[in-house]
Amino acid sequence: MNYYSLNKQSPIADFRQATIDGQAPDGGLYFPEKIPQHSAQWIKDLNKYSRAEIAFKVISSFTGNTIPEDILWSIVNETIDFPIPLIKVDKGIYILELFHGPTLAFKDVGARFMSRCLGYFAKEKSEKITVLVATSGDTGGAVASGFHNVDGVNVVILYPSGKVSTVQEKQLTTFGGNIQALEVKGNFDDCQKMVKEAFRDKELKEKIFLTSANSINVARWLPQQFYYFFALQQWKQKEAPVFSVPSGNFGNICAGIMAWKTGLPVKHFIAACNRNDVVSDYLHTGIYQPKTAVPTISNAMDVGNPSNFSRILELFHNNTDQLKDIFSSYTTSDDRTREVILDVYQNDDYLLDPHGAVGYDALLNWLSMNPNDSGIVLETAHPIKFLDTVEPLIQEQIEIPENIRNTMSKQKESILIGNNYEALRSFLLGN
Ligand SMILES: *Cc1c(COP(=O)(O)O)cnc(C)c1O
């Protein structure tokens, strides 16, 4: 499989090159040249295969011949080394729990897959690779955990000071070793802009071998298709499900649409957004207008210029009408998010995190108009990661899982820097 840049100004790359580059040299996102097709029979038989067999089949057409089969097999096995159960919560409403990985958020899957691929590719390189990543909350922890102690790779994480939860901050500042955390005096979009600028800086890139671990990296983006296959593997209804996906940078939902394009039956995708809803505006007006991110209680979705939306448009050859047939978006306020958490806890005895609650609300809205449908909410994080929000609402203490208790007892180590590219550049050069 080859990948081209969405900016169309860079040479074609294979999976290895696309993973190492992160972003194409022309600043565009890499996109696969072909969309693989799964046979209808294989899809029908999903429940006869193990999760590892499914994941291997899904991803191997994207990795091509860049990773030997036996190595890819062990990478896939380590990537999905935890359960991903589908749970019925109410009539027509199911939840796919993606938070059973080491950092209790769905990003563990992409980060674990990418770190192991990059670790394999780094063995063939003599230089050290520096992974540079901006996080709105969960990416940092998942990347830190995935890459900790991977030989030949250093990780530098930028996060917005004061805008991530207590648990999130601990998860990205307490690993030490090959992981460094930069606390930026600004918001997530500042962090993302600084990272993008570093990738454009030719002089810097001659001195340091840089790559990204944001969902723009194909090795983080593409394995997220697994969730949708695992959901269908457990799906017992006749009709295909509606997926409601809490969305920020739109990597997760874009992987879902890719899975659908390869043959997975899906009725509809809802991008569930908080107040940061540029995509809703786009669907209504046809004009894509990035905005400054505003802080919300579902902070991992506080993104004002979602990187992966360009990939979604590419999947539909920029045909917005075709896109709207399968894809819509819904916006939920913080107040409504709190209300949903409390309602679902009291009525269905299920505790959502704020991101999952935004997804839940979007599905409720869909079902109110399409009462015969059934849908799946992707629960992208464990509620404990947002205990500052969730506990006061339900007025109960949530039990803290043991790995989080260990992390919470460690000392935060971060370096405070300004929200300008020069600050990042001089840090990287002095490193
Ligand atoms: C990152 C994140 C999201 C948003 O996912 P995208 O792929 O960026 O759209 C949603 N929920 C949680 C908990 C996250 O960490």
Side-chain angles (χ1 to χ4, degrees):
M1 175 72 78
N2 280 325
Y3 295 81
Y4 60 93
S5 163
L6 291 183
N7 286 358
K8 314 269 163 71
Q9 304 297 316
S10 294
I12 294 293
D14 63 6
F15 180 79
R16 175 181 179 279
Q17 193 60 46
T19 298
I20 292 175
D21 284 353
Q23 206 169 6
D26 63 7
L29 273 67
Y30 280 115
F31 195 85
E33 273 191 332
K34 283 200 270 312
I35 300 197
Q37 293 299 312
H38 299 295
S39 76
Q41 191 61 43
W42 184 73
I43 298 277
K44 221 174 118 221
D45 288 345
L46 278 181
N47 60 0
K48 295 188 184 151
Y49 300 105
S50 71
R51 287 194 302 139
E53 283 169 328
I54 293 172
F56 182 87
K57 177 143 167 63
V58 167
I59 205 66
S60 57
S61 35
F62 289 95
T63 53
N65 55 11
T66 58
I67 306 176
E69 278 202 3
D70 56 330
I71 293 179
L72 186 60
W73 181 250
S74 50
I75 291 177
V76 159
N77 269 289
E78 286 175 33
T79 299
I80 53 163
D81 190 16
F82 42 83
I84 300 187
L86 183 72
I87 306 214
K88 182 168 184 180
V89 175
D90 204 342
K91 182 177 172 287
I93 304 183
Y94 296 75
I95 288 187
L96 187 70
E97 292 185 341
L98 299 176
F99 55 72
H100 295 282
T103 72
L104 308 185
F106 79 103
K107 291 189 174 74
D108 281 327
V109 167
R112 286 163 81 77
F113 185 80
M114 181 188 163
S115 64
R116 282 152 181 84
C117 290
L118 204 60
Y120 171 71
F121 297 142
K123 284 201 189 108
E124 305 163 5
K125 287 185 80 70
S126 50
E127 290 169 88
K128 255 200 180 307
I129 298 180
T130 297
V131 169
L132 188 60
V133 62
T135 183
S136 58
D138 282 339
T139 302
V143 167
S145 157
F147 279 92
H148 189 223
N149 292 335
V150 172
D151 278 343
V153 183
N154 280 329
V155 177
V156 177
I157 300 168
L158 282 75
Y159 73 98
S161 181
K163 295 192 177 65
V164 301
S165 81
T166 320
V167 175
Q168 285 175 329
E169 184 167 45
K170 286 279 186 174
Q171 282 182 331
L172 52 94
T173 58
T174 58
F175 276 98
N178 63 331
I179 314 289
Q180 285 176 302
L182 299 182
E183 185 174 350
V184 176
K185 290 181 253 174
N187 61 24
F188 170 66
D189 288 325
D190 294 332
C191 298
Q192 183 148 276
K193 219 164 93 199
M194 289 160 74
V195 166
K196 282 188 176 161
E197 200 151 336
F199 286 113
R200 277 199 297 268
D201 185 339
K202 292 207 177 68
E203 214 183 288
L204 177 78
K205 286 171 81 179
E206 274 164 23
K207 301 200 172 90
I208 305 171
F209 196 94
L210 278 186
T211 191
S212 102
N214 279 98
S215 55
I216 57 175
N217 195 302
V218 291
R220 260 203 61 199
W221 168 47
L222 292 168
Q224 303 187 80
Q225 292 174 86
F226 300 166
Y227 317 139
Y228 301 85
F229 284 88
F230 297 164
L232 264 291
Q233 185 193 28
Q234 299 171 72
W235 188 245
K236 305 239 164 50
Q237 318 300 310
K238 268 224 308 281
E239 295 288 325
V242 173
F243 277 101
S244 178
V245 187
S247 295
N249 238 335
F250 283 66
N252 187 354
I253 196 165
C254 183
I257 299 172
M258 176 63 86
W260 170 69
K261 285 260 174 185
T262 66
L264 195 75
V266 176
K267 171 137 196 211
H268 195 80
F269 289 96
I270 310 166
C273 299
N274 60 30
R275 273 201 300 136
N276 298 285
D277 60 351
V278 279
V279 170
S280 296
D281 285 352
Y282 170 79
L283 292 176
H284 288 127
T285 64
I287 300 163
Y288 183 79
Q289 182 65 56
K291 286 188 211 160
T292 306
V294 292
T296 72
I297 58 169
S298 46
N299 67 21
M301 314 195 310
D302 295 349
V303 182
N305 185 11
S307 308
N308 283 287
F309 193 60
S310 59
R311 281 186 171 136
I312 295 185
L313 291 175
E314 186 75 2
L315 277 164
F316 294 90
H317 310 290
N318 290 303
N319 183 327
T320 316
D321 290 331
Q322 272 180 23
L323 169 64
K324 282 187 194 164
D325 282 343
I326 187 81
F327 175 93
S328 56
S329 71
Y330 189 74
T331 303
T332 296
S333 69
D334 275 358
D335 283 346
R336 175 65 188 151
T337 305
R338 289 194 185 89
E339 199 174 282
V340 169
I341 294 175
L342 195 57
D343 273 1
V344 175
Y345 187 63
Q346 287 173 343
N347 300 327
D348 302 304
D349 201 21
Y350 191 92
L351 185 58
L352 291 160
D353 96 290
H355 305 77
V358 169
Y360 200 98
D361 192 40
L363 183 59
L364 282 179
N365 174 66
W366 177 271
L367 294 177
S368 72
M369 297 179 298
N370 305 275
N372 297 321
D373 284 357
S374 304
I376 299 174
V377 178
L378 301 200
E379 175 47 301
T380 47
H382 191 290
I384 194 72
K385 294 195 83 167
F386 304 94
L387 80 163
D388 322 354
T389 302
V390 175
E391 278 185 349
L393 270 177
I394 60 168
Q395 301 191 354
E396 278 173 46
Q397 268 194 343
I398 317 173
E399 199 187 326
I400 304 187
E402 189 176 319
N403 65 345
I404 297 288
R405 239 175 313 176
N406 286 339
T407 307
M408 294 301 279
S409 67
K410 289 187 194 152
Q411 195 64 36
K412 159 181 161 181
E413 273 180 49
S414 67
I415 298 162
L416 196 64
I417 68 166
N419 61 347
N420 59 84
Y421 176 58
E422 265 317 305
L424 174 62
R425 190 172 199 272
S426 58
F427 171 80
L428 290 171
L429 288 173
N431 218 3

